[in-house]
Amino acid sequence: VLGIMSKPMIVTLPFQLVLLDLWPLKRVRFGEGVGEIRADLWRCIREKWLLFLITFGVCVWTYLAQREANAMAAAASMGPADRLGNVLVSYARYLGNIFWPRDLAVFYPLVPRWPLDRVFGAGVLILTASAFVVARLRTAPQLFAGWFWFVGTLVPVIGIVHVGGQSMADRYTYLPAIGIYLAVVSLATAAAGSRRWLAVLGVGAGLLFVSASRQIRTWENGITVFSRAISVTEDNWLAMNNLANNHAAQGDWAAAAPWFEKVAVLNPGYAESHYNVALARAELGLVTEAEAAYRRALDLSPDHFNALKNLANLLTDRLGRHAESVEIYRRALVVRPDDVEVRQYLVDTLMLENRAPEAAAECAEILRGDPGNESAAITLARLMVSSGRTGEAMTVLGQALSHRPDSAYLHYHAGIISSGLSRVEESRSHFGRALDLATRSDDRELQRAVEAQLNGANR
């Protein structure tokens, strides 16, 4: 159970233990009759009943959990024949990579349908190897144990029940490869007196060292590892997307954009890919094209919050279409009604549209959830002053200051409004506090504004 918690592939342990009973423990007497062989084998299986029960329970639980998480969606369209083809090809690729690890990738995309010749060749290889080790069971049980250790340990991840969007993964070979190593080392040990065997093993080890050294260099950073994955696989949309994200994280949107575009072509029904395209286009100044990509993402996923927010920002800041952006901000707030940032964007856009009552209502909504919100309090107070409700404006700023007493801007605006109410001492007090806070934070612009107000008050 502890092993399963650390590496779920150990779920096949009971079967591996039975293989170890065959070799090297030799608890099954192959020199006897069929009845004795069957009795010995049944005894080895029966004594592990609890382990088999745990394996069965974990497999059922994993299947249900992955189905609930929709992790099987990527292979849902694959028929039984295509799935079997992927199983056979994956076995052959795993075996090949054990002996000569080349063209390794951090992610191997699922191939919906392998060419028939590759499926046929892989099937012949697996069946021939299986028949060979079965035929040599009595004389070379280590081959049987090692081969079926490899085959059996891969069963949970080989794709019979497919989970995720990968066709295979190098990390899945850690435990299965032990079976192949056992068989090879056993044969080498039996021929230890042969210098030819030692020479072959030495050359093999040297070649593997070179291969490993080359592979390690591809893991220098995100750009190198995903570039490598793209170069050795076909239509690797995940590697392309991650490569683009790495370029974007470095601010190189010109390098990121083509990869995001390719991902959108490979996954036309995936909203996130079109959203990434829109981000890249917007960063490169392709405003109209960015708008089209945002709208495509929203066609596929109408509640995509970030697409709604960024599309509205684009319409406001780059295209000046404020009325449209107001409606899109409202759609975003239906998805996340507690998002203060988007509601503040909505307030700013409503102000540009001269829709003061709606802006005031949105400010009040922000202050209900965040009573000390500086921007919302100042905007609402200014709107109240412009409509002749100066006393209420002072109340709004006073409530905000009770939550944020060290806000220089709240004190500054409170000073202006109290000055308008002829509360001279109160005005001087707020201006003095604002000047002190602005000086501490080295806010030169606010310092000059406060000093201008104080000079005006002195005059």
Side-chain angles (χ1 to χ4, degrees):
V1 170
L2 292 174
I4 288 170
M5 291 168 66
S6 63
K7 184 71 172 175
M9 277 187 64
I10 208 173
V11 72
T12 57
L13 177 65
F15 301 93
Q16 293 163 286
L17 293 180
V18 172
L19 289 173
L20 293 179
D21 285 332
L22 299 178
W23 181 88
L25 300 181
K26 300 179 181 179
R27 298 181 66 203
V28 178
R29 297 164 294 175
F30 290 110
E32 306 296 330
V34 174
E36 287 77 6
I37 294 175
R38 187 179 300 157
D40 289 346
L41 189 59
W42 174 242
R43 185 185 71 253
C44 292
I45 294 173
R46 187 177 64 241
E47 68 187 13
K48 302 171 183 62
W49 69 269
L50 181 57
L51 298 180
F52 280 108
L53 182 63
I54 293 171
T55 291
F56 176 77
V58 169
C59 289
V60 170
W61 176 81
T62 302
Y63 174 82
L64 295 176
Q66 296 286 2
R67 187 177 66 177
E68 181 70 20
N70 202 32
M72 301 177 185
S77 59
M78 294 179 65
D82 294 331
R83 199 167 297 180
L84 176 60
N86 185 70
V87 167
L88 294 173
V89 172
S90 295
Y91 266 122
R93 293 170 75 190
Y94 280 129
L95 187 62
N97 284 343
I98 288 174
F99 285 100
W100 182 235
R102 59 184 295 273
D103 293 346
L104 304 182
V106 67
F107 178 80
Y108 301 93
L110 183 63
V111 178
R113 178 169 295 174
W114 284 100
L116 190 59
D117 58 334
R118 293 197 64 175
V119 175
F120 180 76
V124 169
L125 172 65
I126 302 305
L127 291 175
T128 301
S130 299
F132 177 78
V133 300
V134 169
R136 300 289 301 275
L137 176 59
R138 291 178 183 270
T139 57
Q142 65 268 46
L143 294 179
F144 182 95
W147 173 253
F148 283 105
W149 177 300
F150 166 74
V151 171
T153 309
L154 276 172
V155 166
V157 295
I158 201 64
I160 298 172
V161 176
H162 205 96
V163 175
Q166 77 281 349
S167 62
M168 56 182 284
D170 295 334
R171 64 185 181 277
Y172 292 159
T173 59
Y174 298 159
L175 293 177
I178 293 174
I180 301 298
Y181 299 153
L182 284 173
V184 171
V185 169
S186 174
L187 291 176
T189 303
S194 170
R195 292 185 178 181
R196 183 180 303 172
W197 259 102
L198 292 176
V200 168
L201 289 175
V203 171
L207 291 174
L208 291 174
F209 176 82
V210 172
S211 176
S213 299
R214 293 179 57 190
Q215 184 64 28
I216 286 171
R217 285 196 292 271
T218 69
W219 286 86
E220 181 179 350
N221 53 55
I223 291 176
T224 58
V225 74
F226 292 117
S227 296
R228 171 67 175 175
I230 293 168
S231 69
V232 299
T233 59
E234 295 182 8
D235 296 337
N236 197 331
W237 64 269
L238 183 64
M240 293 176 186
N241 193 72
N242 286 348
L243 176 60
N245 282 330
N246 274 271
H247 283 305
Q250 295 180 1
D252 191 354
W253 287 95
W259 294 114
F260 280 138
E261 298 278 359
K262 289 182 180 180
V263 173
V265 171
L266 292 172
N267 290 283
Y270 185 45
E272 198 69 22
S273 62
H274 296 283
Y275 169 73
N276 289 333
V277 168
L279 287 179
R281 289 175 177 176
E283 289 288 339
L284 294 175
L286 305 172
V287 179
T288 304
E289 294 84 350
E291 180 189 355
Y294 278 132
R295 293 194 183 278
R296 177 58 180 153
L298 290 169
D299 287 340
L300 296 168
S301 179
D303 293 337
H304 194 301
F305 176 79
N306 286 328
L308 289 167
K309 179 180 72 172
N310 288 335
L311 174 58
N313 289 344
L314 187 79
L315 293 173
T316 295
D317 300 336
R318 311 284 282 277
L319 295 170
R321 288 151 57 184
H322 304 142
E324 288 181 63
S325 66
V326 164
E327 298 310 312
I328 296 172
Y329 281 136
R330 293 197 191 281
R331 283 176 57 188
L333 287 170
V334 170
V335 179
R336 293 188 190 173
D338 296 331
D339 193 285
V340 175
E341 182 184 38
V342 169
R343 200 173 294 276
Q344 186 62 57
Y345 290 153
L346 174 58
V347 169
D348 296 339
T349 309
L350 288 168
M351 294 287 285
L352 292 172
E353 283 279 284
N354 295 316
R355 294 160 66 172
E358 294 174 68
E362 296 298 339
C363 286
E365 185 64 31
I366 293 173
L367 291 170
R368 267 192 285 273
D370 181 12
N373 188 285
E374 184 180 83
S375 180
I378 291 171
T379 302
L380 181 55
R382 292 171 64 184
L383 288 170
M384 287 177 168
V385 169
S386 65
S387 62
R389 298 155 59 194
T390 310
E392 293 178 56
M394 199 62 203
T395 301
V396 167
L397 291 178
Q399 290 174 343
L401 280 167
S402 68
H403 292 276
R404 293 192 61 185
D406 292 332
S407 169
Y409 283 89
L410 286 174
H411 280 291
Y412 171 70
H413 285 277
I416 292 175
I417 295 174
S418 57
S419 177
L421 292 171
S422 298
R423 302 176 185 174
V424 178
E425 291 305 318
E426 185 178 351
S427 175
R428 288 179 184 276
S429 173
H430 282 300
F431 283 140
R433 182 65 174 145
L435 182 59
D436 179 52
L437 292 167
T439 302
R440 289 187 197 176
S441 61
D442 198 28
D443 188 336
R444 302 293 179 84
E445 185 177 354
L446 183 57
Q447 286 180 51
R448 288 192 293 268
V450 175
E451 287 168 354
Q453 291 290 336
L454 285 171
N455 289 335
N458 289 334
R459 286 196 297 272

